[in-house]
Amino acid sequence: MQQKIRTAVSSEMSPTPSDIDIELLALDLTSCTRCAGTLENIEKAIEIVRPAAEAVGTRLNVTRIIIDSEAQAARHRFISSPTVRVNGIDLAFETRESRCDSCTTLSGSDEGTSCRIWHYRGEEYTEAPVGLVVESLLRVLAGQRSTETAPVAYEGVPDNLRRFFAGKAAGQGSASQPRCDESEQSTCCQPQAKAECCGPSVEENSCGCR
Protein backbone atom coordinates (compact mmCIF):
# COMPACT_ATOMS: atom_id res chain seq x y z
CA MET A 1 0.00 0.00 0.00
CA GLN A 2 1.42 3.31 -1.03
CA GLN A 3 1.42 6.21 1.36
CA LYS A 4 1.43 9.85 0.40
CA ILE A 5 4.19 11.73 2.11
CA ARG A 6 3.67 15.42 2.64
CA THR A 7 6.67 17.67 2.92
CA ALA A 8 6.22 20.42 5.45
CA VAL A 9 7.34 23.81 4.18
CA SER A 10 8.32 26.22 6.91
CA SER A 11 6.64 29.61 6.90
CA GLU A 12 10.09 31.01 7.65
CA MET A 13 11.36 30.08 4.18
CA SER A 14 11.54 32.48 1.25
CA PRO A 15 12.43 31.98 -2.43
CA THR A 16 16.13 31.89 -3.29
CA PRO A 17 17.14 35.52 -3.94
CA SER A 18 18.63 36.59 -7.26
CA ASP A 19 20.92 39.02 -5.42
CA ILE A 20 22.43 39.24 -1.96
CA ASP A 21 23.58 42.74 -1.12
CA ILE A 22 26.35 43.08 1.45
CA GLU A 23 27.03 46.58 2.78
CA LEU A 24 30.06 47.58 4.81
CA LEU A 25 29.66 50.94 6.53
CA ALA A 26 32.80 52.24 8.20
CA LEU A 27 34.52 55.36 9.47
CA ASP A 28 37.71 54.49 7.61
CA LEU A 29 39.03 51.66 5.45
CA THR A 30 42.66 52.77 5.30
CA SER A 31 43.86 53.40 8.84
CA CYS A 32 41.29 51.61 10.99
CA THR A 33 42.46 48.04 11.51
CA ARG A 34 38.99 46.86 12.58
CA CYS A 35 37.28 48.24 9.48
CA ALA A 36 39.97 47.05 7.06
CA GLY A 37 40.06 43.64 8.74
CA THR A 38 36.28 43.33 8.50
CA LEU A 39 36.41 44.10 4.78
CA GLU A 40 39.06 41.42 4.33
CA ASN A 41 36.92 38.88 6.20
CA ILE A 42 33.86 39.75 4.12
CA GLU A 43 35.87 39.07 0.97
CA LYS A 44 37.03 35.72 2.40
CA ALA A 45 33.45 34.78 3.28
CA ILE A 46 32.24 35.65 -0.21
CA GLU A 47 34.86 33.38 -1.78
CA ILE A 48 33.65 30.53 0.44
CA VAL A 49 29.98 31.05 -0.39
CA ARG A 50 30.39 32.01 -4.06
CA PRO A 51 30.27 28.43 -5.52
CA ALA A 52 26.93 27.76 -3.80
CA ALA A 53 25.58 31.15 -4.86
CA GLU A 54 26.59 30.61 -8.48
CA ALA A 55 24.99 27.16 -8.47
CA VAL A 56 21.57 28.67 -7.71
CA GLY A 57 22.04 31.81 -9.81
CA THR A 58 22.50 34.29 -6.97
CA ARG A 59 24.81 37.28 -7.29
CA LEU A 60 26.80 38.51 -4.28
CA ASN A 61 27.15 42.29 -4.35
CA VAL A 62 29.41 44.27 -2.01
CA THR A 63 29.07 47.99 -1.33
CA ARG A 64 31.56 49.95 0.77
CA ILE A 65 30.32 53.16 2.36
CA ILE A 66 32.66 55.52 4.19
CA ILE A 67 30.72 57.50 6.78
CA ASP A 68 32.46 60.86 7.00
CA SER A 69 29.90 63.17 8.63
CA GLU A 70 27.20 63.23 11.27
CA ALA A 71 24.58 63.91 8.60
CA GLN A 72 25.65 60.87 6.60
CA ALA A 73 25.63 58.74 9.76
CA ALA A 74 22.04 59.78 10.44
CA ARG A 75 21.02 59.12 6.84
CA HIS A 76 22.37 55.57 7.02
CA ARG A 77 21.14 54.98 10.60
CA PHE A 78 24.75 54.27 11.48
CA ILE A 79 25.50 53.67 15.15
CA SER A 80 28.81 51.79 15.26
CA SER A 81 31.83 51.21 13.05
CA PRO A 82 32.16 48.92 11.26
CA THR A 83 28.59 47.89 10.45
CA VAL A 84 27.84 44.97 8.13
CA ARG A 85 24.39 44.57 6.60
CA VAL A 86 23.11 41.70 4.49
CA ASN A 87 20.09 42.68 2.41
CA GLY A 88 19.62 45.64 4.72
CA ILE A 89 19.74 43.64 7.97
CA ASP A 90 22.56 44.25 10.44
CA LEU A 91 24.83 41.28 10.95
CA ALA A 92 25.06 42.20 14.65
CA PHE A 93 21.79 42.71 16.51
CA GLU A 94 23.47 44.29 19.50
CA THR A 95 26.07 47.02 19.79
CA ARG A 96 29.19 46.25 21.79
CA GLU A 97 32.23 48.46 21.52
CA SER A 98 35.70 49.03 22.90
CA ARG A 99 38.28 51.76 22.45
CA CYS A 100 39.80 51.74 18.96
CA ASP A 101 43.33 53.15 18.84
CA SER A 102 43.19 53.65 15.06
CA CYS A 103 40.05 55.80 15.08
CA THR A 104 41.13 57.61 18.25
CA THR A 105 44.23 58.73 16.36
CA LEU A 106 42.12 59.76 13.35
CA SER A 107 39.76 61.85 15.47
CA GLY A 108 42.30 63.32 17.87
CA SER A 109 39.59 63.13 20.53
CA ASP A 110 40.82 63.21 24.12
CA GLU A 111 37.96 60.91 25.12
CA GLY A 112 38.89 58.42 22.42
CA THR A 113 36.75 56.66 19.82
CA SER A 114 35.15 53.26 20.29
CA CYS A 115 34.52 50.76 17.51
CA ARG A 116 32.45 47.61 17.33
CA ILE A 117 33.44 44.29 18.84
CA TRP A 118 31.80 41.06 17.70
CA HIS A 119 30.69 38.05 19.73
CA TYR A 120 30.58 34.76 17.87
CA ARG A 121 30.36 31.26 19.32
CA GLY A 122 31.52 32.36 22.73
CA GLU A 123 34.51 34.36 21.51
CA GLU A 124 35.10 38.09 21.15
CA TYR A 125 36.50 39.60 17.94
CA THR A 126 37.50 43.10 16.87
CA GLU A 127 36.69 42.26 13.23
CA ALA A 128 33.59 40.57 11.86
CA PRO A 129 34.46 36.84 11.92
CA VAL A 130 34.51 35.01 8.60
CA GLY A 131 32.24 32.30 10.01
CA LEU A 132 29.60 34.81 11.11
CA VAL A 133 29.46 36.35 7.63
CA VAL A 134 29.37 32.93 5.95
CA GLU A 135 26.49 31.74 8.15
CA SER A 136 24.49 34.88 7.43
CA LEU A 137 24.99 34.57 3.67
CA LEU A 138 24.06 30.88 3.68
CA ARG A 139 20.86 31.58 5.60
CA VAL A 140 19.80 34.17 3.05
CA LEU A 141 20.85 31.90 0.20
CA ALA A 142 18.71 29.10 1.62
CA GLY A 143 15.75 31.44 1.92
CA GLN A 144 15.75 31.38 5.70
CA ARG A 145 14.66 34.42 7.62
CA SER A 146 16.68 35.48 10.60
CA THR A 147 15.44 34.17 13.92
CA GLU A 148 17.30 36.85 15.88
CA THR A 149 15.50 39.47 17.89
CA ALA A 150 14.82 42.63 15.90
CA PRO A 151 17.25 45.49 16.64
CA VAL A 152 16.17 48.40 18.80
CA ALA A 153 14.76 51.52 17.18
CA TYR A 154 17.27 54.03 15.84
CA GLU A 155 17.79 56.84 18.35
CA GLY A 156 20.10 59.12 16.39
CA VAL A 157 23.85 59.49 16.03
CA PRO A 158 25.61 58.30 19.22
CA ASP A 159 27.86 60.67 21.17
CA ASN A 160 30.84 58.46 20.36
CA LEU A 161 30.42 59.19 16.63
CA ARG A 162 29.62 62.86 17.19
CA ARG A 163 32.94 63.27 19.00
CA PHE A 164 34.76 61.44 16.20
CA PHE A 165 33.38 63.70 13.46
CA ALA A 166 33.92 66.87 15.51
CA GLY A 167 37.48 65.91 16.43
CA LYS A 168 38.39 64.95 12.89
CA ALA A 169 36.94 68.18 11.48
CA ALA A 170 38.82 70.25 14.06
CA GLY A 171 42.05 68.45 13.26
CA GLN A 172 41.68 69.04 9.52
CA GLY A 173 40.93 72.69 10.13
CA SER A 174 43.96 73.28 12.34
CA ALA A 175 46.25 71.44 9.92
CA SER A 176 45.37 73.91 7.16
CA GLN A 177 46.05 77.03 9.26
CA PRO A 178 49.45 78.80 9.15
CA ARG A 179 51.65 78.03 12.16
CA CYS A 180 53.73 81.21 12.05
CA ASP A 181 52.93 84.93 11.94
CA GLU A 182 52.44 86.96 8.75
CA SER A 183 55.97 88.40 8.73
CA GLU A 184 57.45 84.90 8.61
CA GLN A 185 54.97 83.53 6.07
CA SER A 186 56.28 85.70 3.23
CA THR A 187 59.84 84.42 3.68
CA CYS A 188 59.24 80.67 3.90
CA CYS A 189 60.05 79.26 0.47
CA GLN A 190 61.88 75.98 0.98
CA PRO A 191 59.69 72.85 1.29
CA GLN A 192 60.77 72.06 4.85
CA ALA A 193 60.32 75.65 5.99
CA LYS A 194 56.92 75.87 4.33
CA ALA A 195 55.77 72.63 5.98
CA GLU A 196 56.87 73.87 9.40
CA CYS A 197 55.31 77.30 8.94
CA CYS A 198 52.26 76.70 6.78
CA GLY A 199 51.41 73.03 7.12
CA PRO A 200 52.02 70.11 4.74
CA SER A 201 49.21 70.86 2.28
CA VAL A 202 50.60 74.13 0.87
CA GLU A 203 51.96 74.34 -2.69
CA GLU A 204 55.75 74.13 -2.82
CA ASN A 205 56.38 76.24 -5.94
CA SER A 206 55.82 79.63 -4.30
CA CYS A 207 56.76 81.53 -1.17
CA GLY A 208 54.35 82.12 1.67
CA CYS A 209 51.28 80.23 2.83
CA ARG A 210 48.93 81.08 -0.03
Side-chain angles (χ1 to χ4, degrees), residues 87-168:
N87 283 356
I89 305 298
D90 281 10
L91 201 62
F93 283 88
E94 60 180 348
T95 302
R96 299 188 185 186
E97 297 179 317
S98 65
R99 182 184 176 94
C100 174
D101 291 338
S102 302
C103 287
T104 294
T105 300
L106 282 173
S107 71
S109 170
D110 293 335
E111 295 182 64
T113 299
S114 295
C115 286
R116 189 186 297 275
I117 55 176
W118 309 77
H119 281 257
Y120 175 64
R121 297 193 175 186
E123 300 290 336
E124 183 177 285
Y125 300 84
T126 55
E127 303 159 0
V130 174
L132 179 63
V133 181
V134 168
E135 288 180 4
S136 178
L137 295 178
L138 289 177
R139 279 197 301 269
V140 176
L141 196 61
Q144 296 178 358
R145 298 175 185 172
S146 174
T147 57
E148 298 286 347
T149 304
V152 296
Y154 182 69
E155 297 180 351
V157 180
D159 290 341
N160 174 56
L161 294 179
R162 292 177 187 272
R163 289 194 300 269
F164 175 85
F165 296 128
K168 191 174 180 182

Side-chain angles (χ1 to χ4, degrees), residues 156-184:
V157 180
D159 290 341
N160 174 56
L161 294 179
R162 292 177 187 272
R163 289 194 300 269
F164 175 85
F165 296 128
K168 191 174 180 182
Q172 290 173 343
S174 62
S176 64
Q177 296 299 316
R179 303 168 186 171
C180 52
D181 59 40
E182 292 184 5
S183 62
E184 293 178 281

